[in-house]
Structure formats: structure tokens, C-alpha cells
Amino acid sequence: LGLLTSANFFAFAVFQLPLGILLDRYGSRRVETALLLVCASGCVVFAMSQSLAGLIAGRAMIGLGTSACLMAAFTAYVIWFPRPRLPLVNGCQMMVGGAGALAGTVPIEWLLHFTDWRGVFLLLGAFSTAIAVTIFFVVPRRGVAETSSESLASQFAGVGRVYRSPLFWRVAPFCVSTQGAFLAVQSLWVGPWLSDVGGFEREAVA
């Protein structure tokens, strides 16, 4: 169960460096649209799988497909908003995303009264496709360049500069530990704990 759950996060994490390069080269709109279609495909693979390998592959595709949801937004905000507003806008993004991650259990529990987990993932696949189409056709352009003309070599050199920065190494351990703990508890352990230790029924756990 731990491997199955973490396949999502492994794929999400591994893709972050190439994702940054893709966002700079092709812009948030195109990258996020393409990856959300990968997410939708992963939902279908997960829903239709009859083996552990298939389930892990579907979860990994979902992780890959959602890997740009945060950074594509951050990249777009740099274009859309003046620099002094970015901490506020990024903070709102993190707040809404965290609230959504926690609140999503309630509608899922409601849907399970009408379908099974396979049906839920098929619905999520359809929802991801709809969001991808909406982003591509509805998100406004701001009349400025959304892509970078830097060469790949220059972009990789920029990644190297980040990893050599003392500031990065002062901040990164805190981000890794807090996010790792949050995701582990929220995705794998809090449900069984509330059920087995707290004695809550399934709807109350959600």
C-alpha cells in the first residue's frame, strides 16, 4: 500500500527539474494542458487495472500529470502580477491547494455511495480532461512573452546555480521535511488512525 501510494509522489518529485525547463521553454498553458491529459490517462489506467503493476503505473501517471499544477501556476503568476504581490498570491495558492487536498475526501466519500473506486477514478479522469481544455482555451494571455529563448545548456546551468546556492540548502530541508510529513500523514496514515484508534465511522473519517 505504501509503494502504491508513493508511486504518485515519486513521479511527481522526479519530474520537477525537467518540468522547470519545460515551463520556461513552452509556457504554463501548454505544459499544464499536456500534463493534465497525462493525469486523465493515468486515472483511466488506474481504474481499469487488474494487477498491482497496473495500479502503480496508473498512480505514477497521475503523479506525473499533476506535477505542474503548483509550479505552472507560480510561473504564470510571475508574468501576471507585479513582484511585490507574489508572496501574497503564492500564499493564497498554497492555502487553497492545501484546503482542497484535505476537503477532497468528503465528495469522494459521497460519490462512493453511487459508484466504486474505479468509477471515481474514471470521473476524475473526465474532470482532469475538462480542466485541461479549460486551461488551454480560457486562461487569458497577458500580452507578454510566456516562454524563454534560453538554450537548454543555459537552462541546465541555471539549475546548477540553484543547487550551489547556500540559500537553497538553508530552505530546502525544511520544505522536504514538512511536505513529506504532511503528504505521508494525509495520504496514508490519518484515515486508518481515525478509524482504528479514534473509532470513527467511514463518513466521519472523511
Side-chain angles (χ1 to χ4, degrees):
L1 181 61
L3 175 62
L4 177 59
T5 304
S6 61
N8 184 322
F9 302 124
F10 279 131
F12 187 105
V14 166
F15 198 64
Q16 289 306 301
L17 290 182
L19 170 64
I21 293 172
L22 289 173
L23 287 171
D24 284 344
R25 293 187 71 82
Y26 301 108
S28 296
R29 177 198 315 277
R30 285 180 285 182
V31 172
E32 179 69 344
T33 297
L35 287 176
L36 280 177
L37 293 176
V38 173
C39 173
S41 301
C43 289
V44 174
V45 169
F46 193 86
M48 305 301 291
S49 292
Q50 301 295 326
S51 67
L52 178 61
L55 292 171
I56 291 174
R59 285 288 287 177
M61 291 175 67
I62 294 170
L64 175 65
T66 56
S67 63
C69 289
L70 181 63
M71 295 314 302
F74 283 174
T75 303
Y77 296 157
V78 170
I79 297 172
W80 292 353
F81 295 98
R83 188 176 297 272
R85 298 294 297 277
L86 290 178
L88 173 62
V89 175
N90 289 346
C92 290
Q93 167 83 20
M94 295 296 292
M95 179 188 68
V96 171
L102 293 173
T105 54
V106 175
I108 295 300
E109 178 63 27
W110 179 79
L111 284 172
L112 288 173
H113 290 295
F114 304 96
T115 184
D116 59 5
W117 63 269
R118 295 182 187 273
V120 168
F121 272 89
L122 290 174
L123 286 172
L124 290 172
F127 192 50
S128 299
T129 301
I131 294 173
V133 171
T134 301
I135 287 173
F136 189 78
F137 289 106
V138 175
V139 171
R141 292 174 173 82
R142 293 304 189 196
V144 295
E146 297 184 0
T147 59
S148 170
S149 58
E150 280 188 292
S151 66
L152 277 175
S154 176
Q155 288 183 295
F156 278 112
V159 172
R161 286 194 298 274
V162 170
Y163 274 105
R164 291 191 299 271
S165 167
L167 178 60
F168 172 81
W169 290 109
R170 288 210 302 267
V171 173
F174 294 101
C175 296
V176 170
S177 57
T178 56
Q179 282 297 300
F182 169 75
L183 292 172
V185 170
Q186 192 265 341
S187 64
L188 189 59
W189 297 115
V190 72
W193 191 91
L194 289 171
S195 175
D196 299 344
V197 180
F200 291 96
E201 299 295 330
R202 199 172 78 172
E203 290 188 3
V205 170

